[in-house]
Amino acid sequence: MSDFFRAFADLVARLADVLQPLFHASATAAAIVLFTMAVRLAVHPLSRAAARGQKARARLQPQVAELRRKHAKNPERMQKAIMELHKKEQVSPLSGCLPSLLQLPAFFLMYHLFSTGELGGEPNALLGHSLLAAPLDGRWHDALADGGAFGPAGLVYVALFALVAAVATFNYRRTKRQMADNPLPAPGGEEGQNVPGMGAMLKFMPLMSFMTLVTVAVVPLAAALYVVTSTTWSAVERAWLYRDAPGGAGAVAPAV
C-alpha cells in the first residue's frame, strides 16, 4: 500500500512540474485541482446515468403515489409493488449514489498524502508545497494561529469559504425551488407521517451543501481543494444534467 501512495505522490509531483511554468509555487495545488477534474470527468458517464435514473423515478412518482394509497395498510406489499415498478421500468433506486461513492477513494487518497510525513520510508516531499501562503498540509486552525483569519494563509481559506458558500447558496435555492415544485414523497406515505423524523430530514436537505464548509475547515488544504473543486463541478454538472428534469429530480447535490 505504501508503494501505491508513493507512486501516486510521484504522479502528482510530475504533474506539478508540468504546471510549474504557469502556476509557479502553487503548481502542486493546481495539479490537485486538475486531478480532481480528471476524476470527475471519469465518473461523468455514471453521473449521466444517475441523472437518467432520477428523472425516470420522478416521472414514476404519480404511479408510486397510487401504489402507496392502494397498499397503505400493507407496507410489505407496498414496497414489493414499488420495487416491481422500478424493475419493470429499469430504474435503480441506488444509481444516484454511485458517482459520489466512487469519488470517496480519491478524496481519502488526497487526505492521506497530505497527512503523512513519510511515503515508502522516505520523507513526503509534497508536504513542502503550498497554495500561495497556505501550506497544502495545513488546516484552517493553523492559518488562524499564523496571522489570523485575514493573514496571508487565512485569506486563502476566506477565498475557499466564499466559493463554497456561493456554490452552497446556489444549490440551496435550486433545491428549495425543485422541492416546492414537486415535493418528494416519503417512504411511509405521501406526507411521511409514518416515518419518524422524515419531515425534519426533508427540511434539512436543502442545507446539506453548507456542510462542505465544515469539511474545508477541518481537513488538510490539499483535501479541501479536492472537495471545493468537486463540489463546484457537481453544482454545474447537475444544473446542466437536470435542466429539463421534472420538479424534485436531482434536488440535492452530493457533498463530494
Side-chain angles (χ1 to χ4, degrees), residues 68-134:
R68 293 186 189 282
R69 285 191 292 268
K70 182 178 179 181
H71 303 291
K73 296 182 179 180
N74 190 340
E76 292 184 5
R77 182 68 186 93
M78 177 183 67
Q79 292 300 328
K80 183 179 180 180
I82 293 174
M83 290 178 64
E84 289 175 350
L85 174 64
H86 285 161
K87 183 177 180 179
K88 176 183 176 182
E89 299 295 333
Q90 297 183 335
V91 173
S92 171
L94 300 178
S95 61
C97 302
L98 286 177
S100 296
L101 291 176
L102 291 178
Q103 292 171 64
L104 287 177
F107 167 76
F108 286 118
L109 175 60
M110 197 64 64
Y111 183 96
H112 179 81
L113 281 181
F114 288 87
S115 302
T116 304
E118 292 187 355
L119 292 174
E122 299 180 7
N124 184 358
L126 291 176
L127 301 187
H129 296 271
S130 62
L131 172 59
L132 300 177

Side-chain angles (χ1 to χ4, degrees), residues 27-176:
T28 300
I32 293 169
V33 172
L34 190 60
F35 166 77
T36 308
M37 295 174 68
V39 171
R40 293 310 309 256
L41 189 61
V43 301
H44 179 69
L46 291 176
S47 297
R48 293 179 66 89
R52 289 193 296 268
Q54 291 192 29
K55 290 177 186 178
R57 286 196 297 276
R59 287 193 294 269
L60 292 177
Q61 286 306 325
Q63 299 178 57
V64 172
E66 178 60 29
L67 290 174
R68 293 186 189 282
R69 285 191 292 268
K70 182 178 179 181
H71 303 291
K73 296 182 179 180
N74 190 340
E76 292 184 5
R77 182 68 186 93
M78 177 183 67
Q79 292 300 328
K80 183 179 180 180
I82 293 174
M83 290 178 64
E84 289 175 350
L85 174 64
H86 285 161
K87 183 177 180 179
K88 176 183 176 182
E89 299 295 333
Q90 297 183 335
V91 173
S92 171
L94 300 178
S95 61
C97 302
L98 286 177
S100 296
L101 291 176
L102 291 178
Q103 292 171 64
L104 287 177
F107 167 76
F108 286 118
L109 175 60
M110 197 64 64
Y111 183 96
H112 179 81
L113 281 181
F114 288 87
S115 302
T116 304
E118 292 187 355
L119 292 174
E122 299 180 7
N124 184 358
L126 291 176
L127 301 187
H129 296 271
S130 62
L131 172 59
L132 300 177
L136 290 175
D137 60 320
R139 290 168 168 80
W140 187 41
H141 65 79
D142 298 320
L144 293 178
D146 184 20
F150 298 100
L155 287 175
V156 173
Y157 283 91
V158 169
L160 291 180
F161 289 144
L163 177 57
V164 171
V167 172
T169 300
F170 171 80
N171 287 334
Y172 172 81
R173 291 176 176 174
R174 182 170 173 272
T175 303
K176 290 284 288 186

